[in-house]
Amino acid sequence: MQNIMPSPALSSAPASVVGFSQLVCVERWNETADVVSFRFQAGEPMKFDYKPGQFMTLVLEINGEQACRSYTLSSTPSRPYSLMLTIKRVDGGLVSNYLIDHLQPGQTVRVLPPTGQFNLFDIPAKKYLFLSAGCGITPMYSMSRYLTDSQMNADIAFVHSARTQADIIFKTSLETMATRHRDFKLRYIVEDVTADTAWHPEAVLHDIGRLSANNLRALVPDFAERTVFLCGPEPYMQAVKTILAELNFDMTQLYHESFATAVKEAQSRVKQAEMQAEAPVSGSNSFMLSIGDKKRALTAEQSLLEGIEAEGLPIIAACRSGVCGACKCQVLEGETESTSSMTLSPTEIEAGYVLACSTKLKSDVTLSLT
């Protein structure tokens, strides 16, 4: 990483980020024993525009090789003059551990701008239920900060699971939100309480153990009336889905982000940006994807979903593995090849419907998302 001086004080002039950008780390601090937050600004005065819950992709050179990872922004666009990432040290975590060990204020990182369909603006809700565990708290924190900054009476129930109270990320800030906003209902579920003394305000309810149907009902009695946003380790998210199904929750009101696809997502975004930075793609190994007035050149190895997301078009992609069927779309013209059609009926397949995450181009294609 290149050392440079931190950026000057920012003005209120808005600007946007396109393609690869260099951001300056201006601050870092410990959230817990193994979690660090980093604050970034641009080298020039810049106001960042993104949606609460979106992620940003970092591109680093580690031991002479390119490495990229996507991390959800823990900052909020209601405070737009900096971006914040909150990163946990993990066993074998190449990029996460490298950042924690090496990234210091004054150094720069190469990034792609924020993106992602799991966000507050693209998922309509009247009442919110945020369910998180571990570092899955980051999008929920961003969403909560935005809602409490911008809406007087946003109805939020926030249930976070952690090993101990010492592992609760953003604990002080969350509790401040809970004391200042009566409609922000903060709940903790910890596997083990390591101190007998009070460790949270009286207004913050808690339970010991793991999330279950019983303690979810007790902590959020009106859970069935809420739109659920879910993020955390894969076993946690699978357990939550089982619990909600057991409670006969309307699963169409469940939206989730997954850490399991972060590496693939990052690599895809970097490939797209590199293609955009080069001359227009041509030749037998690339095809044109057309969606309305949007056009995107894709290689034969890239999925429809990669092209759709690169253009910033709305699409829900929950599993990204051809199982859930959320990314169904219709091929109007052209030839494609799919590895999964699990949720599609024979009639839909005959009409040209495919799953974007599992489909690649074999010719120029015109696509409909409606």
Side-chain angles (χ1 to χ4, degrees):
M1 295 182 184
Q2 177 186 5
N3 287 313
I4 68 170
M5 293 298 292
S7 61
L10 299 176
S11 73
S12 59
S16 61
V17 186
V18 293
F20 289 111
S21 299
Q22 294 283 345
L23 294 184
V24 185
C25 175
V26 296
E27 187 181 8
R28 62 172 285 166
W29 63 93
N30 291 331
E31 298 284 358
T32 69
D34 57 359
V35 176
V36 177
S37 284
F38 300 89
R39 188 176 303 282
F40 299 92
Q41 292 179 342
E44 299 177 356
M46 182 169 290
K47 189 175 182 179
F48 296 99
D49 182 20
Y50 59 99
K51 301 173 184 179
Q54 289 191 312
F55 62 83
M56 184 169 69
T57 300
L58 277 62
V59 184
L60 307 174
E61 185 174 304
I62 302 176
N63 299 326
E65 296 186 2
Q66 179 175 283
C68 53
R69 294 292 185 276
S70 295
Y71 296 100
T72 302
L73 288 157
S74 48
S75 50
T76 167
S78 54
R79 306 178 186 194
Y81 294 101
S82 66
L83 298 175
M84 187 170 83
L85 295 178
T86 300
I87 298 172
K88 178 181 174 63
R89 184 183 295 279
V90 294
D91 291 340
L94 175 65
V95 177
S96 297
N97 295 348
Y98 183 87
L99 291 168
I100 290 174
D101 290 337
H102 297 284
L103 182 59
Q104 297 296 328
Q107 296 180 313
T108 62
V109 292
R110 191 183 188 210
V111 305
L112 288 170
T115 191
Q117 302 300 315
F118 182 75
N119 67 76
L120 200 61
F121 294 174
D122 293 335
I123 301 174
K126 294 182 179 178
K127 298 172 68 174
Y128 302 88
L129 173 52
F130 297 149
L131 298 176
S132 63
C135 253
I137 197 172
T138 51
M140 313 310 184
Y141 182 70
S142 175
M143 294 176 187
S144 297
R145 289 290 291 267
Y146 181 85
L147 288 170
T148 55
D149 278 351
S150 61
Q151 297 185 24
M152 289 296 293
N153 300 303
D155 191 335
I156 307 164
F158 192 135
V159 182
H160 180 64
S161 298
R163 290 173 299 175
T164 73
Q165 67 268 32
D167 295 305
I168 298 173
I169 306 168
F170 311 129
K171 185 172 183 294
T172 299
S173 183
L174 285 170
E175 291 171 5
T176 299
M177 278 192 272
T179 57
R180 290 180 178 175
H181 302 273
R182 67 177 184 177
D183 294 316
F184 181 79
K185 294 171 279 289
L186 179 62
R187 308 316 187 211
Y188 295 139
I189 298 179
V190 293
E191 295 183 29
D192 183 33
V193 174
T194 58
D196 295 330
T197 56
W199 50 272
H200 60 82
E202 290 185 5
V204 179
L205 302 182
H206 81 283
D207 202 353
I208 308 300
R210 296 189 176 184
L211 185 66
S212 66
N214 287 336
N215 57 27
L216 179 58
R217 273 193 300 245
L219 295 172
V220 189
D222 63 347
F223 72 92
E225 303 170 16
R226 298 178 177 273
T227 300
V228 174
F229 293 73
L230 170 65
C231 190
E234 290 294 332
Y236 166 80
M237 293 201 299
Q238 289 301 322
V240 170
K241 292 175 188 177
T242 301
I243 290 167
L244 292 175
E246 177 185 337
L247 293 170
N248 296 316
F249 181 77
D250 179 1
M251 301 299 273
T252 65
Q253 294 304 302
L254 168 65
Y255 300 87
H256 66 87
E257 183 70 289
S258 173
F259 292 146
T261 59
V263 173
K264 181 178 179 180
E265 188 76 24
Q267 291 172 340
S268 170
R269 296 208 67 228
V270 170
K271 184 186 298 183
Q272 288 283 357
E274 289 173 341
M275 288 173 57
Q276 184 175 340
E278 296 172 354
V281 179
S282 61
S284 60
N285 291 327
S286 64
F287 304 104
M288 187 63 66
L289 174 65
S290 300
I291 308 170
D293 61 352
K294 302 282 189 179
K295 293 185 181 296
R296 167 69 56 164
L298 297 181
T299 70
E301 289 73 38
Q302 292 178 288
S303 69
L304 294 182
L305 180 60
E306 293 176 64
I308 294 166
E309 292 184 331
E311 288 297 325
L313 295 170
I315 187 168
I316 301 298
C319 72
R320 297 180 178 271
S321 58
V323 175
C324 73
C327 62
K328 179 175 69 175
C329 52
Q330 187 179 21
V331 176
L332 302 178
E333 295 181 6
E335 186 179 359
T336 62
E337 183 176 36
S338 298
T339 58
S340 174
S341 57
M342 287 180 61
T343 61
L344 299 176
S345 68
T347 301
E348 287 175 323
I349 294 173
E350 180 67 23
Y353 284 93
V354 297
L355 301 180
C357 68
S358 305
T359 302
K360 298 176 181 178
L361 302 184
K362 294 190 71 177
S363 71
D364 293 346
V365 162
T366 301
L367 195 69
S368 172
L369 300 183
T370 58

